[in-house]
Amino acid sequence: MLVMVLMRAAHVADLDLNLLVTLDTLLQERSVTRAAERLGVTQPAVSHRLRLLREQLDDPLLVGGRGSLHLTERARQLAAPLGRALLDVRAALRSGEPFDPARSERVFAVVAGDVGEMVVLPEVMSTLRVEAPHVTMTSPAAGGDVVARLASGEIDLVVGAPLPPQAGLVQRVVGRERYVVLARPDHPAIRRGRLSARAFADASHVVVSRGGPPGSSVDEALERLGLRRHVAARVSHFVTAPYLVLRSDLLLTMGESLARTAARHLPLALLPHPLTLPSFDVLMTWHERSTGDEGHRWMRELAARVTARSFQARPARDVSASASGTRPESAPDRPAARRPPPAAGAARASPAAGARPRAKR
DNA sequence: CACTGCTATGATATCACTGG
DNA sequence: CCAGTGATATCATAGCAGTG
């Protein structure tokens, strides 16, 4: 794809590939000044490279003037394939490169949702503190097109529910979760420490609306018994729902691991679910380019270890490959590219420029 | 209209490479 | 070893456009 787009350049054979790193940064920053800061060179140097790119690609690429530059149609076409290509190149260079957790200062972006942030992240952090004190873990918001964010390198790893099968993604089952009920300990529906299906249906409920499965599978199970329930509250986060349960007669159906975490910190009763509900897999998902990355592999193993402990532990298994292309991880493990570090000079492609300190006048 | 923040450009310096 | 050359960098500054 990138080649197809570049083929339209007037002199493809003469194209300086080092300039593509600058172009990628320019397309992201839409500013010569900011691109220069990111690349660790002066603004005029980037301006000069931009002029060369314009000549070689026979297109103005960025137009506008002060403030933010605008991408031309040609630049827009180049942005995505160029970004992916450079991520692949960086991943290829990183593949096989040894990773030393004790010394690494890498930043891993792991989307885990509120369940993962509450259940998995604290465990991961306590391990990091000992094994990899300089590694930083960020947990970006789960919204948006997670698949695209994995592909773009914005996210390194997703822990949670399965993602729709997609070419280039690898998924690995790391745990299994079943549903339980959280309630106030003196909830009137609880009789001798038990909750019947009838009492469950008669009570009022709080539902985490973006969570889909709990609400729908609970209602389906009730329907099979000829029962219905009253949903009195809907919230958007699993983390906040237990607080509603604490101060009401509401019942909350949620995954056992987060329920146990909540019950450890709040005076709540955790009850086996009275309905027959399907349990569900907890998966890790990443981009295939990361499979061979030693650092990414280390992070995956850590996340898998912690997740398996937090959720119902069971041997990790691969998700079968689907027609649309999501690939299982063949061995317990293979690699990854992450965003280029924002540090100055990190994306520099010219060995000569990168290797020697330049004299200042 | 001055100020500010941006990009573009000319002059020049530095470095690596090459050939005598 | 050294001068010539090319690539690429910095510095200084021109010019443009939005803003108050």
Side-chain angles (χ1 to χ4, degrees):
Chain A
M1 170 59 178
L2 176 63
V3 173
M4 294 291 282
V5 178
L6 290 175
M7 284 289 278
R8 290 163 51 195
H11 309 288
V12 171
D14 300 331
L15 186 64
D16 181 351
L17 298 181
N18 287 326
L19 290 175
L20 295 182
V21 176
T22 300
L23 177 57
D24 179 51
T25 309
L26 276 166
L27 296 180
Q28 287 177 35
E29 295 293 338
R30 302 185 183 206
S31 157
V32 174
T33 301
R34 287 196 299 275
E37 285 169 3
R38 249 180 74 179
L39 292 168
V41 298
T42 62
Q43 171 269 317
V46 173
S47 177
H48 178 63
R49 292 176 190 177
L50 177 56
R51 198 184 67 195
L52 294 176
L53 281 161
R54 284 167 169 162
E55 284 171 12
Q56 293 187 18
L57 297 176
D58 194 24
D59 187 274
L61 298 171
L62 294 110
V63 293
R66 83 168 241 125
S68 182
L69 298 174
H70 303 290
L71 306 191
T72 64
E73 184 56 35
R74 184 71 185 292
R76 252 193 293 278
Q77 287 174 6
L78 272 171
L82 177 60
R84 280 196 300 271
L86 290 178
L87 277 174
D88 287 344
V89 169
R90 291 187 180 106
L93 293 173
R94 177 171 276 165
S95 179
E97 192 178 276
F99 176 78
D100 181 0
R103 293 164 156 255
S104 173
E105 296 181 3
R106 264 182 82 165
V107 178
F108 292 97
V110 180
V111 166
D114 51 357
V115 176
E117 284 187 13
M118 200 157 168
V119 177
V120 179
L121 226 50
E123 291 283 312
V124 169
M125 291 312 297
S126 74
T127 305
L128 283 188
R129 194 162 50 87
V130 177
E131 294 182 17
H134 309 298
V135 165
T136 303
M137 171 82 84
T138 67
S139 182
D145 185 348
V146 176
V147 173
R149 293 166 74 197
L150 277 168
S152 73
E154 181 196 339
I155 298 172
D156 293 305
L157 192 66
V158 176
V159 179
L163 292 178
Q166 184 99 8
L169 294 190
V170 188
Q171 300 203 31
R172 178 179 171 192
V173 177
V174 288
R176 192 154 183 85
E177 182 78 317
R178 66 182 168 205
Y179 292 112
V180 296
V181 177
L182 271 185
R184 218 159 29 86
D186 55 347
H187 194 288
I190 303 175
R191 297 281 158 80
R192 292 180 207 150
R194 295 180 54 121
L195 182 64
S196 69
R198 165 66 67 178
F200 177 83
D202 287 345
S204 291
H205 296 256
V206 54
V207 164
V208 180
S209 47
R210 96 202 142 95
S216 52
S217 56
V218 167
D219 292 324
E220 284 165 14
L222 283 169
E223 205 174 318
R224 283 196 292 275
L225 298 173
L227 299 171
R228 287 186 63 185
R229 65 171 174 170
H230 172 233
V231 175
R234 291 181 188 276
V235 297
S236 53
H237 297 287
F238 280 107
V239 173
T240 51
Y243 290 92
L244 265 71
V245 172
L246 189 63
R247 307 191 59 166
S248 68
D249 280 343
L250 298 173
L251 297 181
L252 171 62
T253 294
M254 72 190 312
E256 183 177 7
S257 58
L258 181 56
R260 288 201 181 283
T261 303
R264 261 203 303 276
H265 297 99
L266 300 170
L268 290 169
L270 190 154
L271 304 152
H273 210 288
L275 305 176
T276 306
L277 297 175
S279 53
F280 58 94
D281 285 333
V282 179
L283 292 96
M284 281 192 321
T285 306
W286 65 94
H287 196 276
E288 65 181 0
R289 81 166 75 84
S290 303
T291 302
D293 179 337
E294 288 300 322
H296 198 279
R297 187 205 305 271
W298 175 83
M299 173 52 68
R300 289 201 303 275
E301 285 309 309
L302 171 60
R305 216 162 61 222
V306 166
T307 308
R309 261 207 312 269
S310 304
F311 296 86
Q312 265 183 43
R314 67 138 119 177
R317 69 175 164 82
D318 299 336
V319 175
S320 55
S322 77
S324 42
T326 300
R327 295 209 351 235
E329 193 178 21
S330 62
D333 216 290
R334 268 174 307 152
R338 70 183 174 95
R339 263 173 326 299
R348 189 172 281 180
S350 158
R356 63 184 147 90
R358 298 200 59 86
K360 302 231 176 203
R361 280 178 297 176

